[in-house]
Amino acid sequence: MGTIEILSQKAIFLRESLQKSQANTDEMVAILGSFDNRLSALEEAMRPTQVRTHAIRTAHETIDKTIKSAHFILEQYDLSRKAEAKILRGPHEDLESYIEAVDQLRNNIKFFTSNKGFKTIDGALKHDNSLLAKAIVKLEEEFKQLLSNYSVPVEPDRLFDCLPTTLRPSADSPHHHGDPSEKVPSAGNQPKNSETDVYIPPTLLPPRIIPLLRSLSQQLVQAGYQSQCSKIYWEYRSSALEQSLRKLGVEKLNKDDVQKMQWEVLEAKIGNWIHFMRIAVKLLFVGEKKVCDQIFDGLEPHRELCFAEVTGNSVSILLSFGDAIARSKRSPEKLFVILDMYEVMRELHSEIQDIFISKSCLEMRETAMSLTKRLSQTAQEIFGDFEEAVEKDVTKSAVLDGTVHPLTSYVINYVKFLFDYQATLRQLFQEVETKGESSSQLGAVTARIMQALQNNLDGKAKQYKDPSLTYLFLMNNVHYIVKSVRKSEANDFLGDDWVQRHRRVVQQHANQYKRVAWAKILQTLTIQSPGSGSGTDTSGSSGVSRVTVKERFKSFNLQFEDLHQRQSQWTVPDQELRESLRLSVAEILLPAYRSFHKRYGPLIDSGKNPQKYIKYVPEDLDRMLAEFFDGKTWNEQKR
């Protein structure tokens, strides 16, 4: 069989196969079409059943949710009943449990508020809100009761025990059991605060009470009772604080009260005030801030506001007294207490800034700073007043014996006290003048005061009718000034040149005294020779009449007795200066008298009654000179 035939047969076979396959496909399509029609009919028949099944399933889910919700609501009702039972019992027995019940009640209210769709919830919500309001009122009453019971003033003895040892009153003080204010160191004797001093703030409320008050305050603030909470806290804590200060001795005094007081009384009260400021700031205010921070922890700015309100009046009472002193009439004796007050305000500055750091306490910080500046200004003004007052002092009563004038000793003591305040004075000068060294400024001020004193003494010296007493007075006073300066810290500021210059002034006054007081009597010991121009006769007694010699001895006796009588009543208080002055007088008087006595004494001795004219030998004069400047009264001299 040929190739073509074979291919022809295969083509025929393939055609027949394709025809059979097409027939099968057509038959299958017909069968599937029949199935599709049947499925559509079946699906149509089952649709109602599916709808009912879905509805039943949805209903079951809804019922399940409703049951669960109803169960949860019932649980809330049950919790509400339990909370109500605790709340009705009150917070006094178990405050912690009571507060848990209040918190639970709040949660229930939140739940009921978010599920208002239930018919019964409106009634439950109303009931719980009413119950919560009653619960908060009871919490407020408990807060008030706790503060009332435990807010008691701190007794002075407890406060004194919290002070450093150097500031505590002596146990054997005569006032130890009397007025607490009398136990306080007086002004001018205040111990200076040191960095090693330890202040231990007292416990103002029992530690076990603090957590209870903190929980109560948080509940009240959360309930919107901030103002009620603040008012209660302020009422009891401010009262306790003010009573603590009152028991200590703090008084509310104004400028008029201060102006009426005797200086001794006022000085004591200023000393007390300085002590009270340390106690208030370092003990009471620190303790009060600690309590406030603990009770109102995390409740800002409520915490800061409460502290400001509690301490406000106490701070005002303390600072108003200081302001009254600073604004009262200025006088030199007030300078030192003003400096003491200024020192304590600067000492407490950083602590005041830390304690009253919040915005609510701004006024207190500013008032304290204002007082410090006012005290500084007043001290500077008194300084200026003092310099002027020294120069213009018009004390008319002169010291009759030429001794150191009370003004001199007053000014010198004043300056000595000033140098106890060197650091403070430097600070004052720095505030006034930023240029130059404050030390040199202090020296310049001291020099001006000394010059003002000397100017005044020059005026007072003119009151003496006897010029020799004028110079003795100036010698005594300038010597006292120089000696006092050398022994004090003023020497470091005025310098050696100032001291040496004024020592020369002392010597000049001493020389002037000798010239004025003794020149006339020395002239009686000189006799001009006949025919000579002037001078002492050194060629013997030749040519000198006995009458002339008698008159000279007589004149000398009268003048010396007068000098002895008067100048024995004068005073040179410094022993060294007194001996030096006597010696310098003796050095000019005794040689002259000895020479005159030796030369002309024989002329008198050879006549009648020589003792009438020659009353003294040189040794008598030496003995009598030793009685000069002792400040003896006339009666003492006669004895």
Side-chain angles (χ1 to χ4, degrees):
M1 183 176 296
T3 303
I4 295 174
E5 290 179 353
I6 293 171
L7 291 172
S8 177
Q9 288 179 359
K10 288 182 177 181
I12 293 170
F13 178 75
L14 182 60
R15 184 183 302 110
E16 289 175 352
S17 296
L18 288 172
Q19 288 175 351
K20 288 180 181 180
S21 177
Q22 182 64 44
N24 290 334
T25 299
D26 292 341
E27 185 178 354
M28 183 60 73
V29 169
I31 292 170
L32 290 174
S34 173
F35 275 125
D36 185 53
N37 291 334
R38 292 176 186 175
L39 286 172
S40 297
L42 180 60
E43 188 178 269
E44 188 69 28
M46 290 181 66
R47 186 170 290 115
T49 303
Q50 290 175 343
V51 169
R52 285 195 298 274
T53 300
H54 179 72
I56 291 170
R57 186 181 301 112
T58 301
H60 275 291
E61 290 176 356
T62 302
I63 291 169
D64 188 52
K65 289 181 180 178
T66 302
I67 290 172
K68 288 181 179 179
S69 296
H71 181 71
F72 191 67
I73 290 171
L74 290 174
E75 285 182 350
Q76 298 305 311
Y77 276 114
D78 185 52
L79 290 173
S80 291
R81 284 194 298 272
K82 291 178 180 179
E84 181 176 9
K86 292 180 181 179
I87 289 170
L88 292 176
R89 284 197 297 270
H92 192 65
E93 293 182 2
D94 187 354
L95 180 60
E96 185 177 353
S97 178
Y98 187 90
I99 290 176
E100 288 177 357
V102 171
D103 288 335
Q104 181 60 58
L105 198 59
R106 283 200 177 96
N107 291 333
N108 292 346
I109 290 172
K110 288 180 183 178
F111 172 78
F112 290 143
T113 301
S114 61
N115 290 278
K116 286 187 175 181
F118 294 96
K119 295 180 180 180
T120 58
I121 280 182
D122 288 342
L125 189 58
K126 183 177 180 181
H127 176 270
D128 283 1
N129 277 321
S130 174
L131 185 61
L132 180 61
K134 293 177 182 177
I136 297 301
V137 170
K138 289 187 177 182
L139 288 176
E140 181 183 350
E141 291 173 353
E142 184 69 11
F143 188 68
K144 182 176 182 179
Q145 189 64 47
L146 285 174
L147 285 171
S148 173
N149 290 343
Y150 295 101
S151 292
V152 295
V154 184
E155 294 298 325
D157 285 340
R158 275 189 63 206
L159 289 172
F160 293 144
D161 289 341
C162 297
L163 293 172
T165 306
T166 55
L167 291 177
R168 294 180 189 178
S170 173
D172 55 359
S173 167
H175 303 297
H176 187 68
H177 299 291
D179 182 358
S181 65
E182 294 180 342
K183 302 177 186 179
V184 181
S186 61
N189 294 310
Q190 288 290 330
K192 302 300 181 186
N193 191 56
S194 70
E195 295 180 0
T196 58
D197 286 341
V198 178
Y199 292 79
I200 307 172
T203 301
L204 302 182
L205 288 174
R208 63 183 179 83
I209 300 299
I210 298 294
L212 302 180
L213 290 170
R214 179 168 57 246
S215 297
L216 288 168
S217 66
Q218 290 171 345
Q219 289 291 332
L220 293 172
V221 172
Q222 187 178 349
Y225 278 55
Q226 293 95 328
S227 60
Q228 295 92 323
C229 182
S230 296
K231 184 178 180 182
I232 294 170
Y233 189 79
W234 166 81
E235 179 181 354
Y236 291 101
R237 292 310 307 156
S238 63
S239 176
L241 180 58
E242 290 170 31
Q243 287 182 58
S244 297
L245 292 173
R246 199 174 300 120
K247 281 176 171 284
L248 192 64
V250 174
E251 302 174 84
K252 187 174 184 179
L253 299 172
N254 56 34
K255 183 180 176 182
D256 292 335
D257 298 326
V258 165
Q259 208 64 50
K260 295 174 185 176
M261 289 182 187
Q262 295 287 335
W263 168 241
E264 293 76 11
V265 175
L266 184 58
E267 185 181 24
K269 289 188 180 296
I270 292 171
N272 291 346
W273 179 86
I274 291 169
H275 205 52
F276 297 157
M277 281 298 299
R278 288 196 181 103
I279 290 175
V281 173
K282 293 177 176 287
L283 298 180
L284 290 174
F285 293 156
V286 168
E288 198 62 56
K289 181 173 177 60
K290 181 180 179 181
V291 166
C292 193
D293 287 347
Q294 290 174 330
I295 292 176
F296 298 106
D297 182 30
L299 300 177
E300 305 296 351
H302 185 69
R303 174 181 61 83
E304 297 171 352
L305 183 61
C306 281
F307 177 69
E309 290 175 341
V310 166
T311 55
N313 195 47
S314 294
V315 172
S316 176
I317 291 172
L318 284 164
L319 297 185
S320 64
F321 175 80
D323 190 67
I325 296 296
R327 293 177 182 274
S328 63
K329 185 177 179 180
R330 302 192 301 271
S331 61
E333 66 269 16
K334 283 185 180 178
L335 177 59
F336 301 106
V337 293
I338 292 290
L339 290 175
D340 285 331
M341 295 170 72
Y342 174 77
E343 280 185 347
V344 81
M345 289 304 298
R346 281 191 54 78
E347 171 194 324
L348 299 174
H349 172 75
S350 60
E351 284 162 294
I352 290 174
Q353 294 297 309
D354 291 342
I355 295 169
F356 301 101
I357 193 172
S358 70
K359 291 182 180 179
S360 302
C361 296
L362 176 62
E363 183 178 353
M364 284 176 270
R365 294 198 306 275
E366 290 181 342
T367 303
M369 181 60 71
S370 175
L371 174 58
T372 305
K373 291 180 179 178
R374 170 66 65 178
L375 290 168
S376 171
Q377 179 183 345
T378 302
Q380 294 161 27
E381 291 170 352
I382 293 176
F383 229 126
D385 292 347
F386 179 69
E387 183 181 335
E388 183 179 355
V390 170
E391 185 153 8
K392 295 183 178 180
D393 178 75
V394 292
T395 306
K396 293 184 178 180
S397 57
V399 285
L400 299 178
D401 60 354
T403 188
V404 176
H405 196 279
L407 176 66
T408 303
S409 56
Y410 173 75
V411 171
I412 291 300
N413 287 333
Y414 199 91
V415 171
K416 285 180 179 178
F417 277 122
L418 281 177
F419 281 95
D420 288 338
Y421 294 86
Q422 285 187 50
T424 305
L425 292 172
R426 288 193 185 99
Q427 179 65 36
L428 288 177
F429 292 138
Q430 286 173 2
E431 291 176 3
V432 178
E433 182 63 59
T434 56
K435 297 178 182 179
E437 291 292 331
S438 57
S439 296
S440 63
Q441 291 171 340
L442 182 55
V445 170
T446 305
R448 290 202 305 269
I449 292 174
M450 293 301 183
Q451 187 58 54
L453 173 59
Q454 291 178 72
N455 293 342
N456 188 281
L457 292 171
D458 288 341
K460 284 180 167 49
K462 294 175 182 178
Q463 298 177 28
Y464 295 106
K465 295 180 180 180
D466 188 334
S468 58
L469 185 55
T470 294
Y471 291 115
L472 187 79
F473 170 78
L474 290 173
M475 178 198 71
N476 276 330
N477 282 270
V478 177
H479 179 268
Y480 180 82
I481 293 170
V482 172
K483 187 176 180 180
S484 299
V485 166
R486 287 188 62 203
K487 291 182 177 180
S488 72
E489 293 179 82
N491 187 69
D492 297 333
F493 291 86
L494 294 175
D496 291 336
D497 289 344
W498 186 95
V499 171
Q500 293 303 322
R501 187 168 65 252
H502 284 79
R503 290 175 99 175
R504 290 193 293 271
V505 171
V506 174
Q507 189 59 49
Q508 289 168 8
H509 289 314
N511 292 337
Q512 288 288 79
Y513 156 77
K514 287 187 293 182
R515 181 184 62 80
V516 173
W518 297 94
K520 185 177 179 181
I521 194 172
L522 287 172
Q523 288 176 3
T524 65
L525 302 177
T526 62
I527 297 178
Q528 293 179 350
S529 299
S532 64
S534 63
T536 303
D537 178 10
T538 60
S539 60
S541 61
S542 176
V544 178
S545 70
R546 182 181 281 111
V547 174
T548 301
V549 173
K550 285 181 178 181
E551 287 298 324
R552 292 302 175 97
F553 270 111
K554 188 176 180 180
S555 178
F556 176 85
N557 295 337
L558 289 173
Q559 288 189 47
F560 185 77
E561 287 167 358
D562 178 63
L563 287 171
H564 178 265
Q565 178 185 334
R566 287 186 293 111
Q567 297 196 29
S568 294
Q569 297 178 63
W570 296 357
T571 302
V572 177
D574 183 80
Q575 182 179 358
E576 184 179 347
L577 180 62
R578 183 170 63 248
E579 293 299 330
S580 174
L581 190 60
R582 286 171 178 169
L583 180 60
S584 65
V585 171
E587 285 175 346
I588 61 172
L589 178 66
L590 294 181
Y593 184 78
R594 190 176 287 114
S595 175
F596 187 85
H597 182 274
K598 182 178 180 181
R599 190 179 309 276
Y600 299 108
L603 188 63
I604 301 301
D605 287 336
S606 62
K608 288 183 178 181
N609 301 318
Q611 67 276 9
K612 180 179 178 180
Y613 304 100
I614 304 177
K615 296 176 67 173
Y616 304 105
V617 297
E619 290 74 20
D620 293 329
L621 298 183
D622 192 26
R623 176 183 54 80
M624 294 176 73
L625 283 175
E627 296 176 349
F628 276 51
F629 319 126
D630 274 340
K632 292 182 178 179
T633 64
W634 175 246
N635 289 331
E636 287 177 319
Q637 289 185 57
K638 288 193 294 185
R639 288 199 297 270

mmCIF file of all heavy atoms in Angstrom, residues 434-464:
data_model
loop_
_atom_site.group_PDB
_atom_site.id
_atom_site.type_symbol
_atom_site.label_atom_id
_atom_site.label_comp_id
_atom_site.label_asym_id
_atom_site.label_seq_id
_atom_site.Cartn_x
_atom_site.Cartn_y
_atom_site.Cartn_z
ATOM 1 N N THR A 434 29.349 100.333 92.893
ATOM 2 C CA THR A 434 29.966 99.128 92.342
ATOM 3 C C THR A 434 31.448 99.343 92.032
ATOM 4 O O THR A 434 32.191 98.387 91.872
ATOM 5 C CB THR A 434 29.250 98.710 91.047
ATOM 6 O OG1 THR A 434 29.263 99.811 90.133
ATOM 7 C CG2 THR A 434 27.814 98.328 91.331
ATOM 8 N N LYS A 435 31.879 100.609 91.939
ATOM 9 C CA LYS A 435 33.285 100.884 91.615
ATOM 10 C C LYS A 435 34.122 100.852 92.885
ATOM 11 O O LYS A 435 33.690 101.296 93.943
ATOM 12 C CB LYS A 435 33.419 102.248 90.950
ATOM 13 C CG LYS A 435 32.680 102.347 89.618
ATOM 14 C CD LYS A 435 32.821 103.728 89.033
ATOM 15 C CE LYS A 435 32.050 103.844 87.717
ATOM 16 N NZ LYS A 435 32.146 105.204 87.142
ATOM 17 N N GLY A 436 35.363 100.390 92.767
ATOM 18 C CA GLY A 436 36.281 100.414 93.897
ATOM 19 C C GLY A 436 36.045 99.267 94.854
ATOM 20 O O GLY A 436 35.063 98.541 94.767
ATOM 21 N N GLU A 437 36.985 99.141 95.775
ATOM 22 C CA GLU A 437 36.915 98.085 96.764
ATOM 23 C C GLU A 437 36.056 98.523 97.936
ATOM 24 O O GLU A 437 36.173 99.643 98.424
ATOM 25 C CB GLU A 437 38.324 97.744 97.261
ATOM 26 C CG GLU A 437 39.200 97.058 96.231
ATOM 27 C CD GLU A 437 38.706 95.661 95.905
ATOM 28 O OE1 GLU A 437 38.101 95.030 96.768
ATOM 29 O OE2 GLU A 437 38.916 95.216 94.765
ATOM 30 N N SER A 438 35.195 97.614 98.403
ATOM 31 C CA SER A 438 34.337 97.944 99.538
ATOM 32 C C SER A 438 35.152 98.184 100.800
ATOM 33 O O SER A 438 34.769 98.956 101.671
ATOM 34 C CB SER A 438 33.306 96.835 99.768
ATOM 35 O OG SER A 438 33.941 95.591 99.962
ATOM 36 N N SER A 439 36.332 97.519 100.901
ATOM 37 C CA SER A 439 37.197 97.709 102.068
ATOM 38 C C SER A 439 37.706 99.142 102.128
ATOM 39 O O SER A 439 37.735 99.764 103.191
ATOM 40 C CB SER A 439 38.368 96.732 102.025
ATOM 41 O OG SER A 439 37.919 95.399 102.125
ATOM 42 N N SER A 440 38.141 99.678 100.978
ATOM 43 C CA SER A 440 38.631 101.047 100.958
ATOM 44 C C SER A 440 37.497 102.019 101.247
ATOM 45 O O SER A 440 37.712 103.068 101.856
ATOM 46 C CB SER A 440 39.272 101.365 99.613
ATOM 47 O OG SER A 440 38.313 101.273 98.563
ATOM 48 N N GLN A 441 36.292 101.690 100.806
ATOM 49 C CA GLN A 441 35.139 102.534 101.106
ATOM 50 C C GLN A 441 34.865 102.553 102.604
ATOM 51 O O GLN A 441 34.564 103.612 103.168
ATOM 52 C CB GLN A 441 33.913 102.028 100.345
ATOM 53 C CG GLN A 441 34.014 102.240 98.839
ATOM 54 C CD GLN A 441 32.889 101.549 98.093
ATOM 55 O OE1 GLN A 441 32.263 100.631 98.613
ATOM 56 N NE2 GLN A 441 32.631 101.976 96.885
ATOM 57 N N LEU A 442 35.002 101.397 103.233
ATOM 58 C CA LEU A 442 34.790 101.331 104.679
ATOM 59 C C LEU A 442 35.839 102.171 105.391
ATOM 60 O O LEU A 442 35.541 102.883 106.356
ATOM 61 C CB LEU A 442 34.857 99.877 105.149
ATOM 62 C CG LEU A 442 34.614 99.620 106.636
ATOM 63 C CD1 LEU A 442 33.292 100.195 107.084
ATOM 64 C CD2 LEU A 442 34.678 98.125 106.932
ATOM 65 N N GLY A 443 37.075 102.110 104.919
ATOM 66 C CA GLY A 443 38.127 102.942 105.493
ATOM 67 C C GLY A 443 37.847 104.416 105.301
ATOM 68 O O GLY A 443 38.063 105.229 106.220
ATOM 69 N N ALA A 444 37.360 104.781 104.111
ATOM 70 C CA ALA A 444 37.059 106.188 103.829
ATOM 71 C C ALA A 444 35.938 106.701 104.727
ATOM 72 O O ALA A 444 36.012 107.822 105.250
ATOM 73 C CB ALA A 444 36.672 106.348 102.357
ATOM 74 N N VAL A 445 34.909 105.883 104.918
ATOM 75 C CA VAL A 445 33.802 106.274 105.793
ATOM 76 C C VAL A 445 34.296 106.438 107.222
ATOM 77 O O VAL A 445 33.937 107.398 107.914
ATOM 78 C CB VAL A 445 32.666 105.231 105.726
ATOM 79 C CG1 VAL A 445 31.631 105.501 106.806
ATOM 80 C CG2 VAL A 445 32.012 105.247 104.360
ATOM 81 N N THR A 446 35.132 105.500 107.674
ATOM 82 C CA THR A 446 35.671 105.580 109.038
ATOM 83 C C THR A 446 36.497 106.848 109.207
ATOM 84 O O THR A 446 36.384 107.547 110.227
ATOM 85 C CB THR A 446 36.542 104.350 109.334
ATOM 86 O OG1 THR A 446 35.783 103.160 109.095
ATOM 87 C CG2 THR A 446 37.012 104.350 110.774
ATOM 88 N N ALA A 447 37.307 107.164 108.217
ATOM 89 C CA ALA A 447 38.134 108.375 108.284
ATOM 90 C C ALA A 447 37.262 109.620 108.345
ATOM 91 O O ALA A 447 37.571 110.574 109.080
ATOM 92 C CB ALA A 447 39.071 108.433 107.078
ATOM 93 N N ARG A 448 36.174 109.631 107.583
ATOM 94 C CA ARG A 448 35.273 110.794 107.603
ATOM 95 C C ARG A 448 34.620 110.955 108.971
ATOM 96 O O ARG A 448 34.463 112.068 109.469
ATOM 97 C CB ARG A 448 34.206 110.651 106.517
ATOM 98 C CG ARG A 448 34.733 110.801 105.104
ATOM 99 C CD ARG A 448 33.622 111.189 104.136
ATOM 100 N NE ARG A 448 32.503 110.275 104.176
ATOM 101 C CZ ARG A 448 32.389 109.204 103.399
ATOM 102 N NH1 ARG A 448 33.359 108.897 102.534
ATOM 103 N NH2 ARG A 448 31.328 108.421 103.470
ATOM 104 N N ILE A 449 34.243 109.822 109.580
ATOM 105 C CA ILE A 449 33.640 109.889 110.917
ATOM 106 C C ILE A 449 34.652 110.432 111.916
ATOM 107 O O ILE A 449 34.328 111.282 112.768
ATOM 108 C CB ILE A 449 33.132 108.497 111.346
ATOM 109 C CG1 ILE A 449 31.934 108.069 110.484
ATOM 110 C CG2 ILE A 449 32.733 108.497 112.824
ATOM 111 C CD1 ILE A 449 31.453 106.656 110.740
ATOM 112 N N MET A 450 35.896 109.965 111.833
ATOM 113 C CA MET A 450 36.934 110.451 112.745
ATOM 114 C C MET A 450 37.184 111.943 112.544
ATOM 115 O O MET A 450 37.379 112.687 113.511
ATOM 116 C CB MET A 450 38.229 109.672 112.513
ATOM 117 C CG MET A 450 38.155 108.202 112.897
ATOM 118 S SD MET A 450 37.724 107.978 114.633
ATOM 119 C CE MET A 450 37.830 106.194 114.756
ATOM 120 N N GLN A 451 37.179 112.361 111.303
ATOM 121 C CA GLN A 451 37.403 113.778 111.026
ATOM 122 C C GLN A 451 36.231 114.606 111.544
ATOM 123 O O GLN A 451 36.428 115.707 112.089
ATOM 124 C CB GLN A 451 37.593 113.999 109.525
ATOM 125 C CG GLN A 451 38.000 115.422 109.160
ATOM 126 C CD GLN A 451 39.295 115.828 109.849
ATOM 127 O OE1 GLN A 451 40.310 115.147 109.754
ATOM 128 N NE2 GLN A 451 39.265 116.960 110.564
ATOM 129 N N ALA A 452 35.023 114.091 111.365
ATOM 130 C CA ALA A 452 33.848 114.791 111.880
ATOM 131 C C ALA A 452 33.933 114.931 113.402
ATOM 132 O O ALA A 452 33.591 115.977 113.968
ATOM 133 C CB ALA A 452 32.578 114.032 111.493
ATOM 134 N N LEU A 453 34.411 113.882 114.067
ATOM 135 C CA LEU A 453 34.566 113.927 115.526
ATOM 136 C C LEU A 453 35.596 114.990 115.913
ATOM 137 O O LEU A 453 35.365 115.786 116.846
ATOM 138 C CB LEU A 453 34.996 112.553 116.033
ATOM 139 C CG LEU A 453 35.364 112.458 117.516
ATOM 140 C CD1 LEU A 453 34.187 112.866 118.397
ATOM 141 C CD2 LEU A 453 35.820 111.035 117.872
ATOM 142 N N GLN A 454 36.726 115.005 115.216
ATOM 143 C CA GLN A 454 37.760 115.993 115.554
ATOM 144 C C GLN A 454 37.284 117.414 115.284
ATOM 145 O O GLN A 454 37.595 118.331 116.067
ATOM 146 C CB GLN A 454 39.028 115.692 114.749
ATOM 147 C CG GLN A 454 39.715 114.409 115.185
ATOM 148 C CD GLN A 454 40.933 114.095 114.347
ATOM 149 O OE1 GLN A 454 41.963 114.762 114.476
ATOM 150 N NE2 GLN A 454 40.819 113.101 113.480
ATOM 151 N N ASN A 455 36.531 117.604 114.222
ATOM 152 C CA ASN A 455 35.985 118.934 113.952
ATOM 153 C C ASN A 455 35.068 119.385 115.090
ATOM 154 O O ASN A 455 35.104 120.547 115.513
ATOM 155 C CB ASN A 455 35.209 118.937 112.638
ATOM 156 C CG ASN A 455 36.107 118.719 111.438
ATOM 157 O OD1 ASN A 455 37.323 118.882 111.520
ATOM 158 N ND2 ASN A 455 35.513 118.352 110.305
ATOM 159 N N ASN A 456 34.260 118.437 115.578
ATOM 160 C CA ASN A 456 33.355 118.775 116.668
ATOM 161 C C ASN A 456 34.130 119.073 117.949
ATOM 162 O O ASN A 456 33.808 119.999 118.694
ATOM 163 C CB ASN A 456 32.371 117.628 116.899
ATOM 164 C CG ASN A 456 31.289 117.983 117.887
ATOM 165 O OD1 ASN A 456 31.510 117.969 119.086
ATOM 166 N ND2 ASN A 456 30.103 118.318 117.390
ATOM 167 N N LEU A 457 35.177 118.276 118.210
ATOM 168 C CA LEU A 457 35.986 118.487 119.411
ATOM 169 C C LEU A 457 36.693 119.837 119.365
ATOM 170 O O LEU A 457 36.848 120.512 120.403
ATOM 171 C CB LEU A 457 37.005 117.361 119.559
ATOM 172 C CG LEU A 457 36.424 115.976 119.883
ATOM 173 C CD1 LEU A 457 37.518 114.920 119.787
ATOM 174 C CD2 LEU A 457 35.782 115.952 121.263
ATOM 175 N N ASP A 458 37.107 120.240 118.168
ATOM 176 C CA ASP A 458 37.726 121.568 118.034
ATOM 177 C C ASP A 458 36.760 122.657 118.462
ATOM 178 O O ASP A 458 37.150 123.631 119.131
ATOM 179 C CB ASP A 458 38.154 121.806 116.581
ATOM 180 C CG ASP A 458 39.368 120.968 116.196
ATOM 181 O OD1 ASP A 458 40.075 120.503 117.116
ATOM 182 O OD2 ASP A 458 39.582 120.756 114.992
ATOM 183 N N GLY A 459 35.489 122.472 118.106
ATOM 184 C CA GLY A 459 34.483 123.448 118.522
ATOM 185 C C GLY A 459 34.236 123.404 120.019
ATOM 186 O O GLY A 459 34.097 124.450 120.672
ATOM 187 N N LYS A 460 34.172 122.213 120.583
ATOM 188 C CA LYS A 460 33.934 122.081 122.022
ATOM 189 C C LYS A 460 35.112 122.639 122.837
ATOM 190 O O LYS A 460 34.937 123.165 123.937
ATOM 191 C CB LYS A 460 33.689 120.614 122.381
ATOM 192 C CG LYS A 460 32.299 120.119 121.985
ATOM 193 C CD LYS A 460 32.114 118.674 122.370
ATOM 194 C CE LYS A 460 30.658 118.245 122.294
ATOM 195 N NZ LYS A 460 29.957 118.583 121.077
ATOM 196 N N ALA A 461 36.316 122.523 122.295
ATOM 197 C CA ALA A 461 37.497 123.014 123.011
ATOM 198 C C ALA A 461 37.451 124.527 123.200
ATOM 199 O O ALA A 461 38.032 125.067 124.158
ATOM 200 C CB ALA A 461 38.760 122.614 122.254
ATOM 201 N N LYS A 462 36.746 125.202 122.293
ATOM 202 C CA LYS A 462 36.675 126.659 122.380
ATOM 203 C C LYS A 462 35.796 127.138 123.542
ATOM 204 O O LYS A 462 35.788 128.331 123.853
ATOM 205 C CB LYS A 462 36.149 127.223 121.060
ATOM 206 C CG LYS A 462 37.097 126.991 119.890
ATOM 207 C CD LYS A 462 36.490 127.458 118.585
ATOM 208 C CE LYS A 462 37.437 127.167 117.418
ATOM 209 N NZ LYS A 462 36.851 127.563 116.112
ATOM 210 N N GLN A 463 35.068 126.194 124.164
ATOM 211 C CA GLN A 463 34.215 126.577 125.293
ATOM 212 C C GLN A 463 35.047 126.887 126.543
ATOM 213 O O GLN A 463 34.557 127.543 127.473
ATOM 214 C CB GLN A 463 33.224 125.442 125.610
ATOM 215 C CG GLN A 463 32.268 125.122 124.471
ATOM 216 C CD GLN A 463 31.353 123.944 124.822
ATOM 217 O OE1 GLN A 463 31.060 123.700 125.984
ATOM 218 N NE2 GLN A 463 30.905 123.237 123.806
ATOM 219 N N TYR A 464 36.283 126.428 126.588
ATOM 220 C CA TYR A 464 37.111 126.646 127.771
ATOM 221 C C TYR A 464 37.674 128.071 127.774
ATOM 222 O O TYR A 464 38.198 128.538 126.759
ATOM 223 C CB TYR A 464 38.259 125.629 127.811
ATOM 224 C CG TYR A 464 37.804 124.195 127.972
ATOM 225 C CD1 TYR A 464 37.849 123.313 126.907
ATOM 226 C CD2 TYR A 464 37.339 123.728 129.199
ATOM 227 C CE1 TYR A 464 37.429 121.992 127.043
ATOM 228 C CE2 TYR A 464 36.917 122.412 129.345
ATOM 229 C CZ TYR A 464 36.971 121.553 128.265
ATOM 230 O OH TYR A 464 36.560 120.261 128.412
#
